[in-house]
Structures are given as C-alpha cells and as structure tokens.
Amino acid sequence: MARPRVRLVVTADDFGYCPRRDEGIVEAFLAGAVTSVSLLVNGSAAGSAAELARRHRIPTGLHANLSEGRPVGPARHGASSLIGSEGFFLGKMGFRRAVAAGEVILSQVREELEAQLSRFRELLGRDPTHVDGHQHVHVLPGVCWVFAEALQACGVRFTRLPLERGVDGCAWLEAPARDFAGALEQDASAAIGPFVHHGLRWTDVFVGLSTCGRHLSAHRVTEALTRALDGTPAGQAVTAELMVHPGYPSVPPVGGCGEGPDAFSCSSDRLHELRVLTAPVLRAQLARDGVQLCTLEELDCKRPGEGSTSKATQETFLEPSPP
C-alpha cells in the first residue's frame, strides 16, 4: 500500500544532564538511531557533552530550560520570578502554575533564554541547529512569544511543536500523562500564531508523548506515526520528529541541573529507550514503511507550505512575517 514519504528527525533530549545519559545518547547516535540532540546548558555535564558533540559531529540544538535546576542568567544572582527561595527553577508544574497566575516576569524569561543561547555558543562555538523547551515550557502562554522573539533575534529557525495526535486514546498511558498531554496540546496549538509570526519552522508532525520511557516500542512508534499521518495523501512528502530520552540511568548524586538527577533520569526507562532505539527492529520497520531518518539541517531545503498534514500544522513552513 502506498504511503506518504516521511523524513524523520529523531531527537534525544537532555544531552548534558549527566555523563551516563550522554554515553547512551552518543551510542544511539553512532548507531544511526538518533539524528539530533538537545543540550541542557545548565546540566551538570554540559561541558563534556559539548565536547562529545564536537568530537562526533552531532547536530546539536538548545534544550531551553526554565523549570529544572539553576538558571545561567541574571536570576542566579538574586531574586527573580523564575526561581524559588533556594535559588532553583520552580519545577515542571510549579513554573506552569506561576505562569498561569501571572507571577512570571516575561522580561526575565527573555534574559534567561538569551543567557542560555550565549552559553550554548560558548560551549559549541556556533549557534544551535534548533531550540526547543525542556518539559515543553517554550509553548506556555506568554512564554511562547518571548521564546519566538529570542529565536528570531538570533537567527535560529527551527523549533518543536509538541502536538501529537491521538494521545488521549492511548490507554497504556497513566492518567496524569494523558492529562499533561491534553494541556500541552492546548498550549502548543495557541503557540502556533507567535511561532509563525516570528518565522519559526517545525516538522509537520510530532510524536514522542505516547512512546516515552517504558512505553517506547517499534510498534508504538509506527502506530503513532500512522495516527499522525492519517488523511495524508499517498506519496506526499512529510516531515516528522520523534522525541526520545535514551541513556544509561543516572546514579545520584551525579547528574541533574544543580539539584541532582530526578527519578525520570534514574529509572530503567532510559536504558529501555536506548535498547529499543539501537536494536534493528525499529529501524527495519521504519525502512519498510518508507521512513527516512535525517537531520534538521537536511529539512532546511523544504519549501514554504510543503507537506502540511493537518490544520494544526498547515502553516508550518510559512515565510517569516514582515516586521
């Protein structure tokens, strides 16, 4: 049966979180299972991760972090709406609550994003290939405007739009994960306008919420792509991103972004993802389905408006709006 022609970017998040995580990510890249990484510049192993990226020529973007660990910008020196009393970011849900309550000063968000972009350049000697958000903070209301403005100002074009079709019907996910995905869908949909206005690009479809951790399998990845591509004409060229978190589990106290590694990083889910990605089954299935693994740079030749697959992504590759 004829299928859409899919070019898939496989992005490993949290590069720089800890040496053991980074070891697994590099292993997956060298095996051809990961094509891109997102670096946490406030991660405890950011420096050694940058060296690995240079040594192995890994396409590396910035994993903008406003929710975990210590800031790298002015907020680290004193009081800020971005941090709690102990000098750490407010956490995945704490930051979201603060944004919803109007307690986050957006100019401070801009300062922190600019500081992280600057730190990335210090570590890698170049601009990032893309910028996305740790725990998807970049699509939150208000934050998405500041995020898009900062990327446009520094000339970064690619980001991530974490809209995955059909996650609410994935019965294997725990209720909190489905609830988070539902809230994320609303935020990501609302972020399309600011992203388009500032000329950002992203892949036509995104998957990874339904396949995170122990839920990752060749079957579920292909199932998620099938859901995302439903209704796409056969033979049409489509771009996609698969978000993954492989690695060897962190061993406390090593790792993290200033507070030590979290339970997610210490769990065996990291090793499970690494084994699924590097085993031949997944890549063989993707090849049978006509899915070609590639990097974001290889997608940059995509023409505006090409390959749109849904209303949510129909403006994915519009040219930047005039000033």
Side-chain angles (χ1 to χ4, degrees):
M1 182 177 68
R3 301 172 179 267
R5 294 180 292 111
V6 181
R7 303 178 77 191
L8 178 68
V9 176
V10 183
T11 306
D13 287 359
D14 304 337
F15 198 46
Y17 196 85
C18 87
R20 286 177 55 82
R21 290 282 298 277
D22 297 344
E23 180 185 353
I25 289 173
V26 171
E27 185 177 321
F29 174 77
L30 295 177
V34 159
T35 64
S36 175
V37 300
S38 291
L39 175 69
L40 285 163
V41 296
N42 72 331
S44 65
S48 58
E51 173 57 33
L52 288 169
R54 288 193 298 270
R55 183 189 313 163
H56 299 292
R57 299 182 180 180
I58 304 174
T60 305
L62 171 65
H63 206 39
N65 187 1
L66 300 171
S67 57
E68 183 180 356
R70 294 191 185 276
V72 301
R76 72 185 186 277
H77 298 304
S80 169
S81 66
L82 304 181
I83 60 175
S85 59
E86 297 184 358
F88 297 112
F89 285 132
L90 302 174
K92 176 180 177 179
M93 302 311 297
F95 182 69
R96 283 171 162 78
R97 287 191 292 268
V99 168
E103 297 169 353
V104 171
I105 299 172
L106 293 178
S107 61
Q108 294 175 346
V109 170
R110 178 68 181 260
E111 288 175 345
E112 180 61 26
L113 289 173
E114 289 175 345
Q116 292 189 20
L117 285 162
S118 177
R119 180 61 178 150
F120 183 97
R121 295 186 195 100
E122 291 174 4
L123 290 168
L124 272 298
R126 59 166 177 79
D127 286 326
T129 58
H130 63 279
V131 183
D132 52 38
H134 184 50
Q135 298 169 338
H136 310 295
V137 295
H138 66 303
V139 299
L140 291 175
V143 175
C144 62
W145 278 103
V146 176
F147 174 84
E149 290 167 1
L151 265 61
Q152 184 180 47
C154 71
V156 175
R157 296 293 303 279
F158 273 103
T159 189
R160 170 187 291 165
L161 191 73
L163 272 173
E164 180 174 348
R165 183 183 292 183
V167 177
D168 56 345
C170 297
W172 59 87
L173 294 176
E174 298 82 357
R178 291 199 303 273
D179 292 344
F180 179 77
L184 182 59
E185 179 179 5
Q186 294 182 358
D187 290 335
S189 297
I192 291 175
F195 286 3
V196 169
H197 179 75
H198 290 285
L200 300 185
R201 297 177 173 221
W202 56 91
T203 55
D204 294 319
V205 300
F206 166 84
V207 296
L209 297 173
S210 66
T211 58
C212 189
R214 65 182 179 278
H215 302 304
L216 182 67
S217 68
H219 171 72
R220 283 183 175 150
V221 169
T222 56
E223 188 178 68
L225 285 171
T226 298
R227 286 197 308 271
L229 297 169
D230 184 42
T232 304
Q236 180 169 311
V238 178
T239 62
E241 180 184 17
L242 170 63
M243 172 188 71
V244 295
H245 303 83
Y248 294 97
S250 301
V251 179
V254 179
C257 301
E259 300 172 276
D262 60 14
F264 182 68
S265 188
C266 295
S267 75
S268 60
D269 287 4
R270 310 282 60 73
L271 184 57
H272 172 77
E273 288 202 26
L274 177 61
R275 287 172 172 166
V276 171
L277 288 167
T278 54
V281 177
L282 174 58
R283 279 172 290 161
Q285 182 61 55
L286 291 173
R288 284 194 293 271
D289 292 342
V291 176
Q292 176 189 354
L293 299 189
C294 65
T295 68
L296 280 170
E297 292 100 322
E298 292 169 332
L299 300 185
D300 203 26
C301 62
K302 187 176 176 68
R303 297 294 182 263
E306 228 178 56
S308 105
T309 60
S310 69
K311 183 178 179 181
T313 57
Q314 63 185 358
E315 296 183 297
T316 298
F317 288 100
L318 288 182
E319 287 300 297
S321 303

